[in-house]
Amino acid sequence: MPAQQKKLIFCTAGVLSFACALGTAAAVGTQLWVRGKILCTTGALLVNATGPELHKFIGDIQYGLFSGQRVRQCGLGGRPFQFSFFPDLLKIIPASIHVSVILFCTVLIVFALVGAGFFMFNAFGSPYETLHGPVGLYLWSFIACSCGCLIMILFSSEVKIHHLSEKIANFKEGTFIFKTHSEQFANSFWTILVCSLVHFLNALLIRFAGFEFPFSKSKDSGTITGAVDLMY
């Protein structure tokens, strides 16, 4: 492949990696990871609410990795409540999983920036062997993509398996009991998915630029090496 096309491919991959780093950093700081509706079952059972009356007992909830907001409705109007995971909810959430998600987000941002730097270095500089060359580009892309997948798996298990929304909805609620009426992952969660796909795309761009996958050897080189060994 001509050098100009390789430069264009590496520049494109570098820009995409840098955009993923910025997108992940922005996603970490927002409250747009999960949005949902919470039902005040205690209030609904007291008045036997059905149909249109049930909407008076359905509140809203949204949260991210550090903070969020819930609006509780028990037939008396909405009452907003701001909360933060650290240290307010640390005792009721799966803290190890939650901290792991934040750590993997940090690693994703770091390696996305490292990958962007090496992509640009390979586009405008003279690529070295080992970590500066194609092996390093595959490595950074693989680590970033793997971190993105782990973030989605861990956070999904925290929300769905450990019922994170219900634990947040019932935080400091002694009288009323809330159940999750509906919930869906919001923009920041899908941003992590897009970033993971972009890093996988970067690996394909490296291959498209003409670099073989790491640790792969052609059959011709093995044949020539064997013939040389037989001479000695």
Side-chain angles (χ1 to χ4, degrees):
M1 180 177 289
Q4 293 297 328
Q5 293 184 17
K6 286 186 178 181
K7 287 184 178 182
L8 179 61
I9 290 175
F10 285 141
C11 286
T12 302
V15 171
L16 289 175
S17 294
F18 185 73
C20 286
L22 293 181
T24 304
V28 169
T30 66
Q31 298 181 3
L32 302 178
W33 283 73
V34 175
R35 283 179 175 172
K37 300 287 185 179
I38 51 176
L39 173 63
C40 179
T41 56
T42 305
L45 289 174
L46 284 175
V47 300
N48 196 19
T50 57
E53 297 178 353
L54 197 63
H55 290 284
K56 297 180 181 179
F57 299 90
I58 296 178
D60 299 314
I61 187 172
Q62 69 174 26
Y63 55 89
L65 298 181
F66 294 97
S67 61
Q69 179 182 7
R70 76 181 186 196
V71 179
R72 61 190 296 272
Q73 288 201 157
C74 294
L76 302 173
R79 296 182 182 180
F81 174 74
Q82 297 283 344
F83 60 87
S84 60
F85 284 92
F86 305 98
D88 296 342
L89 302 176
L90 199 58
K91 295 181 179 179
I92 66 169
I93 65 172
S96 59
I97 298 178
H98 199 78
V99 172
S100 297
V101 171
I102 297 173
L103 288 178
F104 280 120
C105 285
T106 305
V107 174
L108 176 57
I109 295 171
V110 171
F111 279 96
L113 292 174
V114 170
F118 279 115
F119 274 117
M120 291 301 180
F121 183 83
N122 279 270
F124 299 104
S126 300
Y128 294 110
E129 296 293 334
T130 65
L131 297 182
H132 291 76
V135 177
L137 297 180
Y138 282 121
L139 179 63
W140 312 133
S141 299
F142 173 77
I143 293 176
C145 182
S146 300
C147 287
C149 294
L150 287 173
I151 291 168
M152 291 185 294
I153 293 172
L154 291 174
F155 189 76
S156 299
S157 67
E158 186 181 6
V159 173
K160 300 298 183 180
I161 298 177
H162 294 276
H163 306 290
L164 184 61
S165 298
E166 284 189 8
K167 290 181 178 179
I168 295 174
N170 291 284
F171 178 62
K172 290 185 178 181
E173 290 291 341
T175 304
F176 297 98
I177 298 175
F178 291 86
K179 294 289 184 181
T180 302
H181 186 265
S182 65
E183 64 181 358
Q184 61 275 342
F185 294 108
N187 299 339
S188 295
F189 179 85
W190 300 119
T191 299
I192 302 298
L193 174 61
V194 172
C195 290
S196 301
L197 295 176
V198 166
H199 289 296
F200 180 76
L201 175 63
N202 283 347
L204 297 180
L205 289 177
I206 301 168
R207 184 66 185 90
F208 184 71
F211 287 138
E212 295 182 357
F213 287 103
F215 313 115
S216 63
K217 295 181 180 179
S218 62
K219 295 181 179 179
D220 296 337
S221 61
T223 304
I224 295 172
T225 305
V228 173
D229 291 339
L230 288 176
M231 291 178 64
Y232 293 95

